[in-house]
Amino acid sequence: MAALRTAPAGRWSRPAIVIAVLSGLALLSVAAFLTLGARGPWSFVLTFRGQRLLALVLVAYTIAVSTVLFQTVSNNRILTPSIMGFDAIFVLVQTSIVFFLGTQTLALADPHMRFLAEVVLMTGFAWVLFRWLFLGEERSLHRLILVGIVFGIFFRSISTFMQRILDPNAFQVLQDALFASFQSVETTLLGVSFALAGLVSAVLWRIAHTFDVLTLGRSQAISLGVDYPRAVMTILTGIAVLVAVSTALVGPITFFGLLVVSLARALLGDSLHRHVLPAAVLLGIVALVGGQAVLERVFAFDTALSIIVEFLGGFVFLILIVRGAAR
């Protein structure tokens, strides 16, 4: 109940202060990304960097929102949407293209068609899985997650088998496509990516009042008047689209969502969605935009941001397990 109390008149609450500070850091990160080391006409610099900035902001938004909502419906703070096998599908698609069609097909394929195919495959797999397991008679969310893990392992096993048969040169080309890359984002895909993310956000906004109630559990949510199966199915479908968009745009990122969401909860001191969602998104922007600016201008691309993010996210994951965060 302490999290629901309002701050005394004239004083800011802790969540308000945290969100204000994160907003300032996000603006500084954006300014640094756009201006540091800029050479040449500003019209060209801002246009070129602005497109990459939009891609980074979109990825931060989709991953943060999808992770928060997945932890809400699963009622577990160490799970991320990648556990359902989305990244495994992405790896399987890329591996299959190289294995059956060759590296030239992967390099010369129309990025729009490949993007749409990856989004449709990942979202379609999730929707079939959700409808098959969650809309059945038992409607077991835990069984849904378990089957998602099994499918992810199955897809990774097939991908690994095909990768071992590949020619070493083809395998090297494939490896470059399997790691998340924030330097070479296909900016022509931003329009359709923002459209999909905006559509999903509009749908989720209509049921945003149920998010905090869902954290109480199935029986409590139903007793409070929430159409639990419909709400969870809508959220899971939205998560599938958001994760598919971010994965198809930059590649698989396993622990980034866990990193920003865990830090957001720790800074805020509560779990209300009206606080956690904006804080997680702002932290994601600071991490991706600010991190990319530092790597480009300070370390001159000596390392990849995705490697650092995954390392820190994996470290947070281990901390949560050790502290007994899993329920």
Side-chain angles (χ1 to χ4, degrees), residues 239-271:
I239 290 171
V241 177
L242 292 177
V243 174
V245 167
S246 64
T247 305
L249 193 62
V250 299
I253 309 174
T254 304
F255 292 116
F256 176 68
L258 180 66
L259 174 64
V260 296
V261 173
S262 299
L263 289 177
R265 295 186 193 276
L267 292 173
L268 292 169
D270 68 38
S271 298

Side-chain angles (χ1 to χ4, degrees), residues 25 59 69 212 225 245 264:
L25 291 175
V59 171
L69 296 183
D212 289 324
V245 167

Side-chain angles (χ1 to χ4, degrees), residues 114-144:
R114 199 173 80 180
F115 174 84
L116 291 176
E118 291 166 354
V119 170
V120 169
L121 284 173
M122 286 185 278
T123 306
F125 162 75
W127 188 84
V128 171
L129 189 64
F130 298 158
R131 186 173 182 82
W132 172 39
L133 293 175
F134 191 71
L135 294 184
E137 294 182 359
E138 296 184 10
R139 294 175 177 175
S140 173
L141 186 61
H142 295 92
R143 186 177 66 171
L144 171 65

Side-chain angles (χ1 to χ4, degrees), residues 27-225:
L27 290 176
L28 287 176
S29 300
V30 169
F33 183 83
L34 291 176
T35 60
L36 284 181
R39 297 174 182 175
W42 280 104
S43 58
F44 171 77
V45 172
L46 294 179
T47 300
F48 175 74
R49 295 190 180 184
Q51 292 177 339
R52 294 182 55 218
L53 172 65
L54 290 176
L56 294 174
V57 170
L58 178 63
V59 171
Y61 173 83
T62 54
I63 293 180
V65 171
S66 61
T67 303
V68 171
L69 296 183
F70 190 78
Q71 292 182 355
T72 296
V73 297
S74 64
N75 202 20
N76 192 309
R77 294 189 179 180
I78 67 170
L79 294 182
T80 64
S82 62
I83 200 172
M84 299 298 297
F86 293 106
D87 56 339
I89 296 177
F90 176 84
V91 172
L92 180 60
V93 170
Q94 305 300 315
T95 304
S96 299
I97 292 176
V98 174
F99 185 83
F100 293 107
L101 303 177
T103 56
Q104 289 187 346
T105 302
L106 182 65
L108 300 178
D110 181 34
H112 295 84
M113 294 300 298
R114 199 173 80 180
F115 174 84
L116 291 176
E118 291 166 354
V119 170
V120 169
L121 284 173
M122 286 185 278
T123 306
F125 162 75
W127 188 84
V128 171
L129 189 64
F130 298 158
R131 186 173 182 82
W132 172 39
L133 293 175
F134 191 71
L135 294 184
E137 294 182 359
E138 296 184 10
R139 294 175 177 175
S140 173
L141 186 61
H142 295 92
R143 186 177 66 171
L144 171 65
I145 296 173
L146 179 60
V147 173
I149 295 173
V150 173
F151 270 110
I153 296 173
F154 175 67
F155 293 148
R156 291 186 185 95
S157 299
I158 297 176
S159 301
T160 302
F161 173 74
M162 289 191 292
Q163 290 171 12
R164 290 183 180 276
I165 303 176
L166 285 175
D167 175 83
N169 294 326
F171 178 75
Q172 182 63 41
V173 174
L174 175 63
Q175 283 293 95
D176 294 337
L178 296 183
F179 287 98
S181 175
F182 302 110
Q183 287 93 359
S184 56
V185 178
E186 186 62 55
T187 56
T188 59
L189 301 174
L190 289 177
V192 64
S193 299
F194 270 99
L196 290 173
L199 179 61
V200 170
S201 299
V203 174
L204 294 176
W205 177 259
R206 294 175 61 87
I207 61 170
H209 60 281
T210 66
F211 294 165
D212 289 324
V213 181
L214 291 174
T215 60
L216 301 176
R218 177 189 175 93
S219 58
Q220 289 85 348
I222 293 175
S223 65
L224 291 173

